[in-house]
Amino acid sequence: SQQGEEDPQALSIQEGENATMNCSYKTSINNLQWYRQNSGRGLVHLILIRSNEREKHSGRLRVTLDTSKKSSSLLITASRAADTASYFCATDASHGAQKLVFGQGTRLTINP
Amino acid sequence: KAGVTQTPRYLIKTRGQQVTLSCSPISGHRSVSWYQQTPGQGLQFLFEYFSETQRNKGNFPGRFSGRQFSNSRSEMNVSTLELGDSALYLCASRPGLAGDTQYFGPGTRLTVL
């Protein structure tokens, strides 16, 4: 079963607007990673945030992590048509098997 | 550095057959993980190899197996294919085991008829 729950499942916005996606998880983590996937292709790593970090930026991406609420958010600012993709959060648990556990993803559509 | 490569990219098999998928990690990466992606179950962890040893295994039947070679290249094998094995199989590599970013390959699209 998936540990992560992503919200919303689908998001459609106009180009230039900001897009926010949320992820919740269940267990203690070492880090949380966000990935992008274009239509049935491989996953592209976007950003990794460690459990002792609260916020991280990379270009137009901003990720926050709240370990007390076991949640994270990904903000994409000034969206572009090329940002249309599915976005997944994945947690790397601090105990047990060292594997990534993925959420179901958010399907983001940027309308020109 | 070259990224993670997977071969073949597309594969069509029939029920009962077996299949072998190959993954070459990023140079210097010693850990290789395999994931299955389906519309119904999403992305699920299959197994991880490090230094030719299986370190972790997901909740999949014994028909799914893998191995890693001394050059860190990995193969996964699925025997006695079932229709439900149709999926995108993704390979990921990272330098070590815990806490590192995993870098994914383009995947192998397996269709079982």
Side-chain angles (χ1 to χ4, degrees):
Chain A
S1 63
Q2 303 293 326
Q3 165 166 237
E5 295 290 334
E6 298 192 52
D7 170 51
Q9 291 188 349
L11 180 61
S12 180
I13 61 174
Q14 295 300 119
E15 195 166 19
E17 293 180 338
N18 295 342
T20 300
M21 289 159 269
N22 301 296
C23 167
S24 60
Y25 57 92
K26 297 176 183 174
T27 64
S28 298
I29 60 171
N30 279 323
N31 63 64
L32 185 145
Q33 303 178 40
W34 284 91
Y35 289 86
R36 184 186 74 226
Q37 184 178 40
N38 290 86
S39 192
R41 302 177 71 177
L43 296 169
V44 175
H45 182 260
L46 296 176
I47 199 162
L48 179 153
I49 186 166
R50 301 196 184 278
S51 60
N52 61 352
E53 297 175 309
R54 291 295 166 259
E55 186 171 313
K56 207 162 182 180
H57 296 253
S58 176
R60 293 184 297 113
L61 306 180
R62 172 178 167 252
V63 168
T64 62
L65 178 65
D66 186 336
T67 53
S68 67
K69 295 181 179 178
K70 291 187 168 57
S71 68
S72 175
S73 68
L74 170 67
L75 168 68
I76 303 174
T77 60
S79 63
R80 305 167 182 170
D83 295 329
T84 294
S86 292
Y87 291 80
F88 295 89
C89 69
T91 52
D92 200 342
S94 56
H95 297 93
Q98 300 296 332
K99 62 181 182 181
L100 287 181
V101 179
F102 285 85
Q104 290 287 355
T106 294
R107 175 68 193 168
L108 175 65
T109 303
I110 308 299
N111 301 302
Chain B
K1 287 185 180 177
V4 177
T5 58
Q6 292 186 244
T7 57
R9 294 291 310 279
Y10 302 91
L11 207 47
I12 299 175
K13 293 286 187 178
T14 56
R15 279 180 299 175
Q17 287 187 310
Q18 74 167 17
V19 67
T20 299
L21 311 181
S22 181
C23 172
S24 292
I26 292 171
S27 177
H29 287 192
R30 297 171 64 191
S31 165
V32 173
S33 297
W34 289 89
Y35 294 82
Q36 181 198 64
Q37 185 178 28
T38 60
Q41 297 299 315
L43 280 151
Q44 294 193 297
F45 172 78
L46 280 158
F47 27 67
E48 180 173 28
Y49 287 86
F50 182 84
S51 294
E52 303 178 65
T53 301
Q54 186 181 92
R55 298 296 174 137
N56 296 296
K57 191 177 192 305
N59 188 25
F60 279 82
R63 299 185 298 106
F64 291 81
S65 63
R67 60 178 175 168
Q68 186 181 34
F69 303 94
S70 58
N71 61 359
S72 294
R73 191 177 69 84
S74 177
E75 289 181 347
M76 66 163 282
N77 182 275
V78 188
S79 62
T80 320
L81 284 166
E82 300 177 358
L83 295 179
D85 297 333
S86 294
L88 181 67
Y89 290 89
L90 293 161
C91 165
S93 76
R94 57 180 169 177
L97 274 175
D100 294 328
T101 296
Q102 290 201 24
Y103 296 92
F104 283 79
T108 294
R109 172 73 64 184
L110 172 64
T111 302
V112 182
L113 302 176

